[in-house]
Amino acid sequence: MDQTREQLPFDILFVGAGPANLASAIHLMELAREKKMKIEVGMIEKGNTIGSHAISGAILDPIALKELIPDYLERGCPIEQTECRDNLYFLTRKGGFSIPFTPKYLHNEACLVISLSKFTRWLGGLAEEMGVNIFPGFAGTEVLYNADASCVIGVRTGDKGIDKHGKKKSNYEPGIDLIAKVSVFGEGSKGSLIRDLGKKMDIFSNKMPQVFETAIKEVIEIPESSPFLSAETTVLHTFGYPLRLNKKGGGFLYRLKDNRVCCGLVVALDYQDPFLEPYEAFLRFKRHPLIAEIIQGGKVLQQGAKTLSAGGYYTMPALVANGTVFVGDSASMLNTQRLKGIHTAMKSGMIAAEAIIFALEKNDFSTKTLKKYELGVEKSWIKDERYKARNFTQALSQKGFLKFMHIGAQYFTGGRGLKDPLTIRKDNSTLKTLTPKKANKTKTAVPQHFDGTLYVDKLTGVYLSGTKHEEDQPCHLIVHDTRICETKCFESYRNPCALFCPGKVYEIKEGPQGKRQLVINPANCLHCKTCEVKDPFENITWTCPEGGGGPNYSMV
Amino acid sequence: MDVVVLVKQVPDTESLIQIAEDSVSIKTGDLKWIINPYDEFAVEEALQIRETQGGTVTILSMGPEKATEAIRTALAMGADSGVLINDPMTAGGDALTTAKVLAAALKEIPYDLIIAGQRAVDGDNYQVGSAVAEYLGIPQISLVIKEEIFNGKIRCHRVFEGGTVVVETPFPALFTTQRGLNEPRYASLPGIMKAKKKPLDIKTLADIGIDPAIVGKAGSKTKIKTLNFPSERQAVRMIDGESGAEKAANLVKILHGEIKAI
């Protein structure tokens, strides 16, 4: 370990200030208070403030929230909509129909529509009141291990004030080593620390590969006269157009407080067509008559994008290792079948808190003691609802009629279905190589009209996400071999990174002699991580930029 | 050397700015708040002065309780203590009433030097720093990009169009910051921990002995009548060309032929 770094000791360190870690920290402080234990708890967050990087649909099943904060209403929990009246639509190109029978896992009557950004900010305030030291604007860039690398002992924060060429600027501020008895990783989808930790501590072996979906979402202000504001339906989910039946994903639109709605499209990253562009699909979704009619006359207030870990039960890694536990999306806690993960993320954090208190009491932070968390998850309602959905994502990845056979069979067999476990492919292995004929066909995209208000292009979207990075810093997107981009990737796939990235971070420019060159605009990065998941050559590694950089979400 | 830095908490310029129904204020519901960037230069410069001259750095602000966040940020950067004037009667005041309140508060804080941002990026009034110096009857130098302290004097370099001017004054004095003065340091993580324990006094108008009738909305002689958004900018046009020379030639063609600027 680099001895020149300053060290700051905590009992417990949380990495990431999302719903899983915040619920965990709040529950931990509560348990410590009950047991009259005095503990120092730290939490780092790469976003500029708590909630800056938090984005989700979001329909919240308040089951975990009620357990954590029974009087959440009195304590000012920000709720956008308490009445969830669902309608599920199948969309065709120009029309569609409402599905008369909604499967029971898609019933949201008792749920709440929230903005995850507002919700986490609120939870963050409560955690701070209880004595958690939250440090927004500090990114964890390295996991610290003991001498024989058998135990996690903390996290190093990133240096600040390094210029483009890696040289120290006048305001250089070295990162420091945060040392803890237990480090809780709640990094969210496709965390950059758990990537290395996973390899070192072997938490992913014997598991199915984690798979992801990318969601693009907007909050739109619609005219006060809009009939949707008094319509019976408040929650719409769609499948079908603009994705084909063989493409996994779907759209959503929820009514929010005041005269706002949010709408978004989720695209599973196991798609095969290199020419698919999630952002463009999102725009087509917005232009579908069903959606266009609701949002007409509106104005986009905020936009954002994020991947979500959609693999489910069988892709859950080992939940503990010596000196560390994994919660929320870091541990693939989402329930794809219910299109929800905040409740399971929170609950996983809360169960982890109970195991941590147990470990503190025993003063033993080994896998053996922390295993109480893993066992707790197995005994909780997280297991109950996720186990039923254990083959669901895999079934959705099937093509044609088979998909419905699997889903139907699972519906009546408690999730077992026709084959258990049903296997799944890693997202970066699913793209189909373009035939020379197809590759040379210029993409026949429908020309998009952007009015800059309701329909915005990618760069306006980046602006509307509030994304800001220190420009003079090393590029945080590591492309290992740009020759692959210029040759193999171009020939086989026509550089899908330029299409799947919702922030226009990657561009392929053709130089004077037809020489191709990859141009990276790291300052546009929305921290969604689609690039690391989908790049067919695994040529991109996402690392944390200087702490405080990234989107500035406040209402998505 | 005791330095006082005037700090204001302002909406993040990346925030969504919407004009409120009353058309003279903005909606605050979805705003994020930050320390005014020009005040950040002021805090940094004060800390650098303390490093060479010794003494203390005190942060002074006026605003709602939320403004303590901006003071804590400055304390985390390294300032020693903070004072917030928080009184509902100060609300809705113009720049001059703000200066009156700050000047009154400064009567009770020892200082040799006061540093203020040249302006707050929300109201863009460019008045508070100067008015505070006037109320206190001390010399002031605006838009400083460099300062040197020697023999009981401060020598400041100011930028003006086409060059710089060097101005000198004895203490006590006030100067306002210009971009280029320094690169503000980051609040370090241990700094944030320490800042939680540093003294931060919250005072009312009664505490600093100022009549509420002469400040806030009641005491303001200027009133905002209406707020308007700037007209939308036209889209940027990229100049085509294979090489730099060709692009330059095309640019000249457009400037000469189409826009008739040259």
Side-chain angles (χ1 to χ4, degrees):
Chain A
M1 198 172 15
D2 187 346
Q3 287 303 319
T4 57
R5 305 272 170 167
E6 191 173 345
Q7 292 197 350
L8 202 57
F10 288 102
D11 291 304
I12 310 299
L13 173 69
F14 288 90
V15 183
N21 265 354
L22 285 166
S24 189
I26 290 171
H27 195 45
L28 181 69
M29 294 312 271
E30 217 164 50
L31 293 170
R33 190 151 61 187
E34 277 167 24
K35 294 184 182 283
K36 300 198 167 42
M37 288 165 76
K38 220 185 133 17
I39 52 172
E40 275 295 330
V41 177
M43 183 182 287
I44 53 170
E45 162 57 41
K46 71 180 162 59
N48 197 16
T49 57
I50 307 165
S52 285
H53 290 184
I55 174 169
S56 182
I59 294 182
L60 173 73
D61 178 342
I63 170 169
L65 176 62
K66 280 178 182 161
E67 288 175 24
L68 182 69
I69 309 163
D71 56 344
Y72 65 96
L73 287 175
E74 291 77 21
R75 298 184 73 180
C77 175
I79 295 166
E80 294 286 336
Q81 178 67 252
T82 52
E83 290 166 25
C84 293
R85 292 185 297 267
D86 295 89
N87 221 331
L88 176 67
Y89 289 89
F90 173 74
L91 300 187
T92 59
R93 195 180 173 77
K94 291 260 151 58
F97 50 87
S98 169
I99 306 288
F101 166 75
T102 314
K104 57 180 181 283
Y105 42 75
L106 274 180
H107 286 221
N108 292 308
E109 286 91 0
C111 296
L112 310 165
V113 178
I114 59 163
S115 143
L116 188 63
S117 177
K118 291 181 187 176
F119 184 70
T120 46
R121 214 180 318 153
W122 172 72
L123 282 179
L126 299 182
E128 280 185 317
E129 271 172 34
M130 297 176 84
V132 179
N133 299 289
I134 307 185
F135 304 103
F138 289 87
T141 52
E142 217 178 299
V143 181
L144 303 171
Y145 305 91
N146 65 351
D148 65 352
S150 61
C151 179
V152 173
I153 58 164
V155 163
R156 176 170 297 170
T157 65
D159 294 342
K160 292 183 177 183
I162 303 273
D163 75 8
K164 242 179 239 177
H165 311 291
K167 294 213 173 68
K168 293 172 186 173
K169 292 191 274 187
S170 69
N171 61 353
Y172 170 69
E173 181 67 44
I176 61 170
D177 289 346
L178 304 170
I179 307 296
K181 293 168 184 158
V182 183
S183 303
V184 186
F185 288 86
E187 290 186 282
S189 182
K190 200 72 189 169
S192 48
L193 292 178
I194 209 167
R195 174 179 54 221
D196 301 312
L197 194 156
K199 280 183 208 145
K200 269 213 174 89
M201 310 290 271
D202 196 27
I203 62 171
F204 291 114
S205 63
N206 302 323
K207 298 284 172 181
M208 279 191 203
Q210 292 208 317
V211 294
F212 298 87
E213 300 177 350
T214 289
I216 301 165
K217 175 192 170 180
E218 285 176 346
V219 172
I220 300 173
E221 188 171 73
I222 58 173
E224 276 166 44
S225 56
S226 168
F228 182 69
L229 295 174
S230 50
E232 173 63 21
T233 302
T234 57
V235 168
L236 283 84
H237 286 108
T238 74
F239 64 106
Y241 185 86
L243 305 173
R244 300 232 175 91
L245 257 187
N246 278 345
K247 280 188 195 116
K248 195 160 63 169
F252 63 89
L253 188 149
Y254 310 143
R255 191 203 299 170
L256 309 177
K257 256 200 318 209
D258 304 323
N259 49 327
R260 292 176 180 181
V261 298
C262 65
C263 76
L265 184 75
V266 184
V267 180
L269 293 177
D270 66 347
Y271 66 81
Q272 299 173 316
D273 177 7
F275 285 148
L276 181 99
E277 184 172 13
Y279 192 87
E280 189 251 356
F282 170 63
L283 289 171
R284 280 193 286 143
F285 169 68
K286 281 175 72 182
R287 289 182 202 275
H288 184 277
L290 179 78
I291 305 301
E293 193 182 309
I294 295 171
I295 61 174
Q296 67 174 325
K299 179 182 184 226
V300 179
L301 300 179
Q302 201 163 82
Q303 192 188 83
K306 185 94 181 88
T307 51
L308 46 108
S309 63
Y313 187 77
Y314 287 127
T315 66
M316 199 164 64
L319 297 182
V320 304
N322 288 324
T324 183
V325 302
F326 316 108
V327 299
D329 263 359
S330 278
S332 196
M333 283 288 166
L334 188 124
N335 182 347
T336 324
Q337 195 176 50
R338 294 188 66 201
L339 312 170
K340 286 180 192 60
I342 301 170
H343 65 308
T344 43
M346 290 175 73
K347 181 66 179 175
S348 71
M350 289 157 67
I351 301 171
E354 286 156 22
I356 291 167
I357 282 284
F358 176 66
L360 282 165
E361 282 177 326
K362 279 184 68 177
N363 198 28
D364 173 4
F365 308 96
S366 64
T367 306
K368 208 172 135 222
T369 310
L370 291 170
K371 205 85 177 168
K372 191 177 161 69
Y373 163 45
E374 209 163 272
L375 298 173
V377 169
E378 284 294 302
K379 276 189 269 173
S380 72
W381 52 256
I382 296 184
K383 162 80 183 280
D384 298 342
E385 69 162 76
R386 279 163 49 83
Y387 193 65
K388 274 185 250 167
R390 64 192 179 278
N391 288 310
F392 188 73
T393 300
Q394 299 92 308
L396 285 184
S397 288
Q398 306 288 320
K399 306 296 169 205
F401 186 62
L402 206 55
K403 179 192 314 228
F404 298 101
M405 276 181 55
H406 278 292
I407 292 173
Q410 286 171 20
Y411 198 74
F412 295 106
T413 57
R416 182 166 45 83
L418 304 174
K419 186 173 174 233
D420 184 21
L422 204 51
T423 51
I424 201 156
R425 283 170 71 190
K426 225 177 147 189
D427 293 322
N428 52 27
S429 68
T430 57
L431 279 186
K432 277 199 175 142
T433 312
L434 291 166
T435 57
K437 197 176 146 205
K438 222 182 153 193
N440 290 326
K441 216 165 82 180
T442 9
K443 209 186 143 211
T444 49
V446 190
Q448 296 272 357
H449 169 70
F450 299 110
D451 58 14
T453 308
L454 182 58
Y455 296 98
V456 301
D457 61 10
K458 277 189 184 176
L459 289 182
T460 311
V462 171
Y463 169 74
L464 288 169
S465 70
T467 297
K468 196 163 64 171
H469 288 89
E470 166 62 52
E471 299 268 347
D472 191 12
Q473 66 169 309
C475 181
H476 72 280
L477 300 154
I478 317 295
V479 177
H480 299 283
D481 183 356
T482 53
R483 282 171 310 181
I484 292 180
C485 317
E486 288 144 18
T487 56
K488 260 200 280 185
C489 187
F490 177 81
E491 285 148 22
S492 308
Y493 305 109
R494 287 291 185 269
N495 302 109
C497 60
L499 295 177
F500 61 57
C501 173
K504 216 173 176 177
V505 169
Y506 303 96
E507 293 180 277
I508 297 286
K509 293 249 161 98
E510 292 227 4
Q513 278 93 45
K515 193 180 161 357
R516 287 175 289 274
Q517 199 197 348
L518 175 74
V519 178
I520 309 179
N521 310 303
N524 286 359
C525 179
L526 298 165
H527 296 207
C528 77
K529 325 248 176 113
T530 305
C531 53
E532 186 173 317
V533 175
K534 192 60 185 168
D535 176 49
F537 296 95
E538 295 188 69
N539 195 19
I540 304 174
T541 300
W542 194 98
T543 66
C544 270
E546 189 174 287
N552 266 296
Y553 299 140
S554 62
M555 59 176 85
V556 286
Chain B
M1 170 110 6
D2 293 325
V3 186
V4 177
V5 182
L6 308 184
V7 161
K8 185 179 184 188
Q9 191 183 36
V10 295
D12 188 345
T13 40
E14 299 293 320
S15 286
L16 170 75
I17 306 292
Q18 289 182 298
I19 297 170
E21 273 77 36
D22 64 6
S23 79
V24 297
S25 61
I26 58 168
K27 290 184 188 170
T28 53
D30 298 311
L31 291 183
K32 283 203 172 157
W33 297 84
I34 55 165
I35 182 167
N36 178 39
Y38 288 102
D39 302 347
E40 247 181 345
F41 297 132
V43 174
E44 175 61 35
E45 203 62 19
L47 295 173
Q48 289 187 15
I49 289 172
R50 189 188 63 189
E51 277 157 20
T52 56
Q53 311 285 322
T56 61
V57 175
T58 306
I59 306 300
L60 174 61
S61 184
M62 184 188 99
E65 200 184 332
K66 203 177 165 32
T68 52
E69 296 164 3
I71 299 179
R72 289 274 176 220
T73 304
L75 295 177
M77 286 169 76
D80 300 292
S81 61
V83 178
L84 174 72
I85 311 302
N86 173 20
D87 194 305
M89 294 307 286
T90 60
D94 62 9
L96 215 55
T97 64
T98 303
K100 271 184 211 169
V101 173
L102 295 174
L106 279 158
K107 299 230 161 77
E108 295 172 20
I109 306 171
Y111 62 86
D112 303 295
L113 177 66
I114 300 169
I115 314 178
Q118 55 161 281
R119 65 191 157 107
V121 296
D122 54 355
D124 264 357
N125 278 311
Y126 294 83
Q127 291 178 16
V128 173
S130 300
V132 166
E134 281 304 300
Y135 283 125
L136 295 173
I138 59 171
Q140 55 162 306
I141 303 171
S142 61
L143 300 166
V144 172
I145 54 153
K146 186 181 167 191
E147 53 76 24
E148 302 148 284
I149 291 169
F150 57 94
N151 301 337
K153 285 183 179 168
I154 183 162
R155 181 180 285 179
C156 294
H157 298 240
R158 309 179 59 238
V159 179
F160 65 114
E161 199 164 342
T164 57
V165 56
V166 182
V167 188
E168 200 175 270
T169 177
F171 294 109
L174 179 148
F175 77 81
T176 67
T177 62
Q178 172 62 305
R179 199 173 286 278
L181 177 64
N182 55 44
E183 183 135 36
R185 69 193 63 192
Y186 295 92
S188 72
L189 215 141
I192 295 170
M193 292 287 273
K194 280 181 215 146
K196 292 186 181 188
K197 298 188 180 97
K198 288 182 179 173
L200 199 172
D201 285 342
I202 299 182
K203 295 183 176 183
T204 61
L205 291 178
D207 294 333
I208 55 170
I210 187 166
D211 178 5
I214 63 162
V215 302
K217 208 172 175 183
S220 294
K221 290 185 178 128
T222 64
K223 295 228 170 1
I224 295 174
K225 298 305 281 183
T226 180
L227 290 176
N228 300 305
F229 278 108
S231 50
E232 280 198 27
R233 269 192 240 171
Q234 291 199 326
V236 171
R237 183 164 158 193
M238 302 301 283
I239 308 290
D240 293 329
E242 285 275 309
S243 61
E246 195 184 323
K247 282 179 190 171
N250 286 339
L251 175 62
V252 170
K253 247 185 240 165
I254 292 167
L255 288 174
H256 182 69
E258 284 179 40
I259 305 172
K260 308 216 185 295
I262 51 173

